[in-house]
């Protein structure tokens, strides 16, 4: 899920402007004594963070350690996002800052990876003089060869999209890892053509990864002490893999079950579920295994049927509500549900915007990632529809959506008070080293006094208070 990967408690204190800003993650040190140093900044979605781990692994084979200090790098990669105009502008501004390092070190190589590389291709080299390499998301195996070309004084580009590449055999180098939770990509690309979205153009056709390679990766994470995996794909419910001899077929429900069965102490999460594809079979599988977290990210985008059709989401408001009812019937009221929302899509009227707000009332989302519409060149909407909702109106509607979400999040969190939650501890709370923070099953942040508990432990916490983005409590064991 693109969503920038904002931390999920952002609604506590983020303004609409902050909610639209882009976060990034930086590589950690892997000092293993290799010759050259690679520094990666990853922008955008979890998928990109996961890809940067694959890139680090490929580069490690080619003699690169990773560094967290940009000034020490021999190669700088920006793994980029194109989902909104703002995301691309952030990268362009960052390139301006990176110029100073190139001035100091003429051998420094600068590469643009990911969606912006794929969208803009060779023109990036012309527009951004300091860029040496442009590499699309399906071309990372070619990086050693492209780095060689730059070593020899040329510029290098590979933006070929593939119908098969899943990097299944590459064991990612874990970056920014707390050693507790990790992402595992189970598929790449997207075959849906939501009219606002650039992903099908930048990440290519949907393809599912060999189920056994997913299981191997999850098992190696368990062996390394990880306690939580999140299975990633743009549309996980359409995961499907058939063995070459045709004897094995694995859909998403089955894959989820296979991962859950590896170890009952491993928490299993997944993202993103597309409302048109999420099946009762998946919901029943979630119910069957205690270690599959009861939390579903089910982006609605809009609550209005005409807008959903213009967005080419291929479901209606009624269909979406039916899926939410199925979640409530099978998994109960406690199951966390979150969403993505776009305010001010082409021709959206005030009444149609209100339909999004009433949908939020109906579902009672635990939280949401909220954006205003940003036209992306080449998409169906850019070609066929007019981006005619004025910016101030988009922003005002977005602010209303955010305000509604704050109310709903607070209401949902209040329902958690007086209950015991099983929390997987991730680290210290932002405010104090005497408090720990972790997440409950529904992915909500829980903060409680440390006592003798440690990151990586499961702790039963009695929740006695909450804010919009956090539950507070006391450990009871
Ligand atoms: N595959 C996921 C799905 O279908 O829900 C979403 C992936 S997309 C990378 C993440 C979110 O970015 C979308 O759900 C949507 O809300 C938002 N988004 C995508 N294109 C956008 C655009 N042009 N303007 C504003 N928000 C956009
Ligand atoms: Fe984009 Fe739609 Fe695919 Fe999600 S499902 S990545 S929003 S095209």
């Amino acid at each position: 899920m693109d969503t920038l990967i904002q931390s999920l408690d952002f609604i506590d204190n983020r303004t609409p402007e902050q909610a639209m800003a882009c976060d990034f993650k930086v590589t950690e040190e892997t000092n293993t004594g290799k010759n050259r140093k690679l520094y990666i900044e990853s922008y955008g979605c979890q998928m990109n963070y996961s890809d940067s781990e694959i890139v680090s692994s490929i580069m490690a084979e080619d003699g690169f350690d990773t560094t967290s200090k940009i000034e020490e790098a021999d190669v700088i990669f920006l793994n980029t996002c194109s989902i909104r105009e703002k995301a691309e502008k952030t990268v362009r501004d960052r390139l301006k800052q990176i110029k100073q390092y190139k001035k100091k070190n003429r051998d420094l190589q600068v590469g643009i990876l990911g969606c912006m590389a794929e969208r803009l291709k060779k023109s990036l080299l012309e527009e951004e003089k300091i860029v040496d390499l442009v590499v699309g998301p399906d071309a990372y195996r070619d990086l050693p060869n492209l780095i060689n070309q730059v070593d020899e004084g040329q510029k290098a580009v590979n933006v070929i999209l593939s119908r098969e590449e899943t990097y299944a055999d590459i064991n990612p180098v874990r970056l920014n890892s707390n050693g507790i939770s990790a992402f595992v990509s189970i598929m790449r690309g997207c075959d849906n053509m939501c009219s606002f979205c650039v992903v099908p153009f930048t990440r290519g056709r949907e393809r599912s990864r060999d189920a056994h390679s997913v299981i191997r990766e999850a098992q190696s994470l368990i062996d390394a002490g990880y306690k939580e995996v999140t299975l990633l794909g743009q549309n996980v419910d359409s995961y499907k893999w058939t063995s070459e001899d045709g004897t094995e077929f694995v859909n998403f429900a089955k894959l989820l079950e296979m991962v859950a069965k590896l170890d009952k102490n491993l928490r299993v999460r997944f993202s993103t579920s597309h409302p048109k594809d999420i099946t009762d079979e998946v919901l029943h599988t979630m119910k069957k295994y205690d270690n599959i977290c009861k939390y579903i990210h089910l982006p609605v985008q809009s609550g209005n049927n005409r807008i959903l059709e213009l967005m080419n989401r291929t479901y209606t408001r009624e269909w979406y509500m039916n899926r939410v009812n199925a979640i409530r019937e099978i998994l109960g009221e406690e199951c966390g549900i979150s969403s993505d929302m776009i305010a001010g899509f082409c021709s959206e009227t005030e009444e149609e915007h209100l339909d999004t707000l009433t949908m939020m009332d109906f579902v009672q989302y635990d939280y949401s990632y909220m954006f205003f519409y940003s036209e992306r060149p080449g998409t169906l909407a850019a070609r066929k529809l007019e981006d005619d909702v004025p910016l101030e109106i988009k922003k005002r509607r977005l602010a209303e959506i955010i305000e509604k979400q704050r109310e709903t999040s607070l209401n949902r969190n209040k329902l958690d008070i007086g209950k015991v939650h099983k929390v997987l501890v991730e680290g210290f709370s932002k405010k104090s080293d005497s408090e720990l923070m972790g997440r409950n099953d529904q992915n909500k942040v829980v903060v409680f006094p440390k006592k003798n508990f440690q990151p990586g432990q499961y702790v039963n916490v009695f929740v006695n208070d909450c804010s919009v983005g956090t539950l507070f409590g006391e450990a009871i064991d």
Side-chain angles (χ1 to χ4, degrees):
M1 358 166 273
D2 148 89
T3 332
L4 332 170
I5 307 280
Q6 303 151 341
S7 61
L8 292 176
D9 49 342
F10 76 94
I11 43 175
D12 217 0
N13 43 24
R14 289 169 75 115
T15 61
E17 283 71 27
Q18 286 168 328
M20 291 173 302
C22 227
D23 289 340
F24 63 84
K25 282 191 182 179
V26 169
T27 37
E28 280 171 359
E29 309 272 334
T30 53
N31 297 311
T32 62
K34 296 202 163 70
N35 287 342
R36 296 167 87 182
K37 291 208 165 175
L38 165 68
Y39 169 92
I40 313 182
E41 273 175 21
S42 313
Y43 294 77
C45 63
Q46 288 166 335
M47 213 76 194
N48 255 11
Y49 298 159
S50 168
D51 276 6
S52 290
E53 296 183 335
I54 290 168
V55 167
S56 301
S57 174
I58 293 169
M59 294 289 283
E61 292 286 305
D62 196 41
F64 283 85
D65 268 330
T66 51
T67 175
S68 60
K69 299 186 195 75
I70 191 166
E71 60 281 1
E72 287 184 357
D74 299 293
V75 171
I76 296 173
F77 284 159
L78 304 185
N79 193 357
T80 60
C81 170
S82 284
I83 202 83
R84 282 166 289 276
E85 199 181 343
K86 175 83 173 58
E88 291 199 359
K89 179 158 186 317
T90 307
V91 169
R92 301 236 188 216
D93 290 347
R94 186 66 177 133
L95 283 172
K96 288 194 191 100
Q97 295 166 354
I98 288 175
K99 238 184 220 160
Q100 55 170 310
Y101 301 104
K102 193 109 177 181
K103 273 192 196 141
K104 283 187 209 143
N105 172 7
R106 286 184 44 217
D107 293 331
L108 175 68
Q109 299 189 15
V110 178
I112 297 289
L113 313 184
C115 290
M116 245 177 113
E118 195 59 54
R119 197 177 83 71
L120 298 165
K121 304 188 170 58
K122 242 167 75 191
S123 65
L124 254 180
L125 290 180
E126 284 138 34
E127 290 163 21
E128 303 288 350
K129 296 289 179 234
I130 70 159
V131 173
D132 303 294
L133 297 97
V134 175
V135 190
D138 286 346
Y140 297 147
R141 282 181 205 270
D142 197 26
L143 277 168
N145 172 36
L146 299 169
I147 294 273
N148 267 347
Q149 282 181 37
V150 181
D151 284 341
E152 284 163 12
Q154 301 160 41
K155 301 252 174 184
V157 181
N158 187 342
V159 287
I160 297 171
L161 285 173
S162 156
R163 280 178 176 255
E164 286 95 34
E165 181 62 271
T166 59
Y167 300 108
D169 56 318
I170 291 180
N171 205 6
V173 173
R174 300 288 158 192
L175 303 169
N176 296 113
S177 167
N178 54 11
I180 297 162
S181 30
F183 298 125
V184 176
S185 294
I186 61 166
M187 57 207 295
R188 299 181 72 82
C190 182
D191 278 353
N192 297 319
M193 275 297 205
C194 301
S195 61
F196 52 79
C197 185
V198 80
V199 169
F201 304 97
T202 58
R203 296 208 150 244
R205 298 303 298 268
E206 179 187 291
R207 63 225 102 115
S208 297
R209 184 174 159 189
D210 180 326
H212 297 296
S213 81
V214 174
I215 299 301
R216 274 197 301 277
E217 188 174 334
Q219 184 61 55
S220 72
L221 287 164
I222 295 168
D223 296 344
Y226 282 80
K227 297 281 167 44
E228 181 176 271
V229 294
T230 303
L231 307 179
L232 287 184
Q234 292 297 352
N235 182 2
V236 287
D237 297 287
S238 71
Y239 175 90
K240 48 187 152 342
W241 174 79
T242 310
S243 59
E244 262 172 35
D245 62 8
T247 54
E248 274 179 282
F249 173 74
V250 180
N251 65 7
F252 182 59
K254 179 78 181 120
L255 184 77
L256 203 50
E257 177 164 53
M258 286 160 74
V259 178
K261 276 167 119 173
L262 287 175
D263 181 344
K264 64 178 179 3
N265 284 317
L266 178 77
R267 268 190 173 174
V268 186
R269 300 188 183 279
F270 56 89
S271 189
T272 298
S273 301
H274 195 295
K276 82 175 159 58
D277 293 318
I278 189 166
T279 60
D280 287 358
E281 188 191 1
V282 167
L283 301 179
H284 286 297
T285 307
M286 289 175 74
K287 186 177 170 72
K288 190 166 158 199
Y289 293 92
D290 281 346
N291 59 332
I292 303 180
C293 291
K294 308 299 178 274
Y295 161 61
I296 300 174
H297 184 57
L298 194 70
V300 68
Q301 315 295 0
S302 163
N304 174 266
N305 278 339
R306 190 184 72 88
I307 295 295
L308 284 171
E309 196 174 343
L310 286 179
M311 287 178 164
N312 198 27
R313 288 291 286 180
T314 68
Y315 53 82
T316 59
R317 178 181 173 93
E318 293 71 29
W319 171 276
Y320 187 93
M321 287 173 156
N322 166 287
R323 292 292 74 210
V324 171
N325 287 337
I327 293 169
R328 295 286 175 231
E329 269 159 37
I330 297 167
L331 294 167
E333 284 302 317
E334 301 80 43
C335 181
I337 305 181
S338 61
S339 188
D340 293 349
M341 240 89 68
I342 299 181
F345 187 63
C346 310
S347 76
E348 183 189 67
T349 65
E350 218 49 44
E351 290 71 37
E352 289 165 341
H353 161 62
L354 288 180
D355 282 345
T356 299
L357 297 178
T358 58
M359 178 63 102
M360 295 174 78
D361 285 331
F362 172 79
V363 183
Q364 294 287 300
Y365 294 111
D366 291 83
Y367 25 75
S368 294
Y369 300 92
M370 299 157 283
F371 315 97
F372 65 65
Y373 174 57
S374 161
E375 186 178 81
R376 305 310 293 131
T379 55
L380 238 68
R383 281 183 278 137
K384 300 247 162 73
L385 304 170
E386 201 183 334
D387 180 13
D388 54 359
V389 178
L391 186 60
E392 310 81 74
I393 294 187
K394 285 182 183 174
K395 284 190 175 174
R396 197 253 301 144
R397 288 183 190 165
L398 175 61
E400 287 172 11
I401 289 174
I402 292 177
E403 189 45 38
K404 169 74 72 186
Q405 186 55 60
R406 289 178 66 88
E407 284 164 24
T408 316
S409 294
L410 189 60
N411 288 341
R412 287 286 293 172
N413 287 353
K414 280 183 183 162
L415 296 175
D416 291 326
I417 294 177
K419 293 180 186 153
V420 175
H421 298 250
K422 188 176 172 187
V423 175
L424 175 58
V425 183
E426 291 178 15
F428 292 96
S429 88
K430 277 187 212 146
K431 292 193 181 135
S432 158
D433 279 357
S434 63
E435 287 176 334
L436 292 173
M437 74 67 70
R439 287 175 197 272
N440 71 359
D441 219 47
Q442 289 72 27
N443 213 25
K444 291 185 187 177
V445 173
V446 184
V447 170
F448 60 98
K450 178 175 179 304
K451 296 193 182 151
N452 291 324
F453 299 106
Q454 300 296 332
Q457 277 183 312
Y458 286 107
V459 180
N460 287 319
V461 177
F462 179 80
V463 168
N464 51 29
D465 198 4
C466 72
S467 67
V468 173
T470 312
L471 304 177
F472 303 96
E474 290 279 343
I476 58 161
D477 38 21

